[in-house]
């Protein structure tokens, strides 16, 4: 199985800050990576697929980059509604595997 | 409007069985890859199973041999039959439409396995 290591596990940031979250795959997965946002009590929401393609309707302050084993999610200017937990997911091969999550909290 | 609605969750004793349902509207279940994903209380997301549009299936190692994914085209519904349930199966279970990973999710149904 492909292991996904996400860092940091949590971070504190202020509104307007630039935030970067990293995901590392245990083996190369091309660009078969998605990023998800989950607000407590809600279902996850996909933000990005194919490593860098923004899901329809997602604000442009979210961006993704990377390929192979190293991937990054960037929020260019953190907004109040962005405080949530973020997960990466590899869909290169089954079983699909998620990263452990990054909780973004208000500083 | 495209929508997924899960049902069938509840409290069950260890060793018991439960069948989850996921009713789809606005699209055809059998024409899509469909997945189940779960989340234990306070924990991260765990992918559980997929059924391909062609009917093939795949399972996470933690549920293989105990869970069965299936679909009913006439009902446009996805199912997850869960047998030999254990305490560590306690989780919110989400069904999701899958294309390059799950992208359309239901609201979830809670399964609690406890004596």
């Amino acid at each position: 199985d492909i292991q996904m290591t996400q860092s940091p596990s949590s971070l504190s940031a202020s509104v307007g800050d630039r935030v970067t979250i990293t995901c590392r795959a245990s083996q190369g997965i091309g660009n078969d990576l998605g990023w998800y946002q989950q607000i407590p009590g809600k279902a996850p929401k996909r933000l990005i697929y194919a490593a860098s393609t923004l899901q329809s309707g997602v604000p442009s302050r979210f961006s993704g980059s990377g390929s192979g084993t190293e991937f990054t999610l960037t929020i260019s200017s953190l907004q109040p509604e962005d405080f949530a937990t973020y997960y990466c997911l590899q869909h290169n091969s089954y079983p699909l595997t998620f990263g452990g999550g990054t909780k973004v909290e208000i500083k | 409007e495209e929508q997924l609605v899960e049902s069938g969750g509840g409290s069950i004793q260890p060793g018991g069985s439960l069948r989850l349902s996921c009713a789809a509207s606005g699209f055809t279940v059998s024409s899509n890859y469909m997945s189940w994903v779960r989340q234990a209380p306070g924990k991260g997301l765990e992918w559980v199973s997929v059924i391909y549009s062609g009917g093939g299936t795949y399972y996470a190692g933690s549920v293989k041999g105990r869970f069965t994914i299936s679909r009913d085209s006439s009902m446009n519904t996805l199912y997850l039959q869960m047998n030999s349930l254990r305490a560590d199966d306690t989780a919110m279970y989400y069904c999701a439409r899958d294309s390059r990973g799950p992208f359309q999710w239901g609201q979830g149904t809670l399964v609690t396995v406890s004596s």
Side-chain angles (χ1 to χ4, degrees), chain A residues 1-3 89-90 93-98, chain B residues 34-38 45-52 57-69 80-81 86 88-89 93:
Chain A
D1 298 0
I2 298 174
Q3 308 304 315
L89 168 79
Q90 70 80 18
S93 64
Y94 289 103
L96 305 189
T97 43
F98 287 92
Chain B
M34 299 293 297
S35 284
W36 287 96
V37 176
R38 68 183 181 183
L45 300 168
E46 180 188 16
W47 178 84
V48 172
S49 182
V50 65
I51 184 166
Y52 309 139
T57 59
Y58 202 99
Y59 299 91
S62 57
V63 307
K64 191 173 183 179
R66 300 188 299 124
F67 290 11
T68 302
I69 191 171
L80 186 68
Q81 177 67 43
R86 312 184 303 219
D88 62 359
D89 294 318
Y93 284 75

Side-chain angles (χ1 to χ4, degrees), chain A residues 31-32 36 38 42-44 46 49-50 55 87 89 91 94-96 98, chain B residues 33 39 43-45 47 50 52 58 94 98-103 105-106:
Chain A
N31 71 341
D32 294 334
Y36 294 78
Q38 189 178 32
K42 300 292 187 181
R46 189 166 73 178
Y49 63 95
Q55 187 76 33
Y87 297 91
L89 168 79
H91 57 88
Y94 289 103
L96 305 189
F98 287 92
Chain B
Y33 283 33
Q39 186 170 37
K43 302 298 184 181
L45 300 168
W47 178 84
V50 65
Y52 309 139
Y58 202 99
Y94 297 99
D98 195 310
S99 174
R100 308 193 76 166
F103 72 96
W105 300 66

